[in-house]
Amino acid sequence: MRRLLVLAPALVLLAGCNPSSPAKETPSSAPASSASASEGLPPDPQPARTAECPYLSNETVQDANGQHVTKVSISADEPHPTCFFYRPDGSLQLSVRVYVGKSDVATALVNKAAPVDTSNPASDPAGWKGGYQPAGDGVVYAVAKGEAAVIVTSNQKQSIKARTVAKKAIAALKL
């Protein structure tokens, strides 16, 4: 027992002197947004400018999500920008991300948004697969089919609202 008491302070000092300690590497590590890129996924979209969503009208989103839309921003992503819909108080109420490219990336984006292990299974519209789950104070509904993925995040807790928007976006884009 005495040996442990004598060795304990020495071990603590040695552990603190370790040059490869994670605390010392943290400042030089890459930010979280580039971590997705290193995994082969595109970075999370960001609003780039105020503009109408090219594949969903404000009225469609208002009807589906149950809140008035006062502003819309879109990302710089091509060919389908992510659309960000805002409430009258200026807060984000809903976003719709559309990805078309490699099927493994589409599936990975859906799994990132609604992981298979933790989300409820989603298969609407027919032929699309993914999941839905609570996200923050709302919900995310994410589905993929082939090389396309659609991810809807809503500030509403009812997944039917996000699912309705996803189906409208898929239909409008003929995916």
Side-chain angles (χ1 to χ4, degrees):
M1 182 72 152
R2 287 184 190 168
R3 282 187 217 172
L4 289 176
L5 291 175
V6 172
L7 290 176
L11 290 173
V12 170
L13 288 173
L14 286 174
C17 294
N18 184 354
S20 64
S21 110
K24 294 184 181 190
E25 291 181 10
T26 301
S28 64
S29 65
S33 61
S34 65
S36 327
S38 68
E39 296 170 8
L41 297 180
D44 291 338
Q46 300 298 318
R49 62 187 171 92
T50 300
E52 293 300 310
C53 181
Y55 49 88
L56 287 172
S57 71
N58 292 3
E59 293 76 26
T60 298
V61 171
Q62 287 175 172
D63 291 346
N65 208 45
Q67 296 174 315
H68 187 65
V69 173
T70 56
K71 177 183 158 190
V72 180
S73 293
I74 62 171
S75 69
D77 301 314
E78 292 292 335
H80 309 296
T82 297
C83 297
F84 302 88
F85 296 88
Y86 296 88
R87 299 171 21 144
D89 69 2
S91 64
L92 182 66
Q93 68 165 293
L94 187 129
S95 66
V96 183
R97 181 179 190 177
V98 177
Y99 170 84
V100 178
K102 297 179 179 179
S103 61
D104 59 331
V105 173
T107 301
L109 285 170
V110 167
N111 193 43
K112 179 183 173 189
V116 173
D117 295 339
T118 59
S119 67
N120 299 299
S123 58
D124 198 15
W128 290 75
K129 301 277 185 238
Y132 65 94
Q133 68 180 16
D137 290 334
V139 68
V140 62
Y141 186 89
V143 288
K145 178 180 176 186
E147 57 192 28
V150 176
I151 302 163
V152 178
T153 304
S154 170
N155 68 347
Q156 301 293 298
K157 294 191 183 290
Q158 302 88 357
S159 62
I160 191 167
K161 294 180 177 191
R163 181 178 67 206
T164 299
V165 172
K167 289 170 61 174
K168 297 275 187 182
I170 289 166
L173 291 167
K174 298 179 173 107
L175 296 175

